[in-house]
Amino acid sequence: MSKAFYSDFANHCLRFYTRHKDPVFHNEVDKRNWEVCEEVLSKYPDREREILTFVYYEGDTIADNVYKIALAKGVAQDSVWKLVNGLEREIALQRGLI
């Protein structure tokens, strides 16, 4: 399965969000991207939010992080990928990409 056209954008926003809890913004676009990540992630239950935060916070590739968190939490990688894809889609929707 190929990744969606908005995946790189969403990944960029989510990696910045998870790694900078109190950032200094240099423009309104960056600020809004961060706010959207916060709004969307806050809607997830704690366990799912923890999984998703791990996927984007860790320094490895998204695929490697999905594998690691699935193994650590004892869940199927497909379940984690569904969360990732849903989160990326919601970020893209909120930012007007789709």
Side-chain angles (χ1 to χ4, degrees), residues 35-91:
E35 291 170 344
V36 164
C37 290
E38 185 168 54
E39 291 167 17
V40 172
L41 274 169
S42 72
K43 296 176 185 175
Y44 282 85
D46 290 343
R47 180 174 166 84
E48 292 178 358
R49 189 171 42 249
E50 179 184 355
I51 289 169
L52 290 165
T53 299
F54 179 90
V55 168
Y56 293 99
Y57 179 80
E58 293 299 312
D60 220 334
T61 66
I62 299 296
D64 286 342
N65 291 340
V66 166
Y67 172 78
K68 289 176 188 175
I69 195 67
L71 189 63
K73 295 291 184 181
V75 298
Q77 288 183 57
D78 286 350
S79 298
V80 178
W81 278 115
K82 285 180 185 175
L83 286 173
V84 166
N85 292 334
L87 177 61
E88 288 179 359
R89 180 171 172 71
E90 187 60 29
I91 296 293

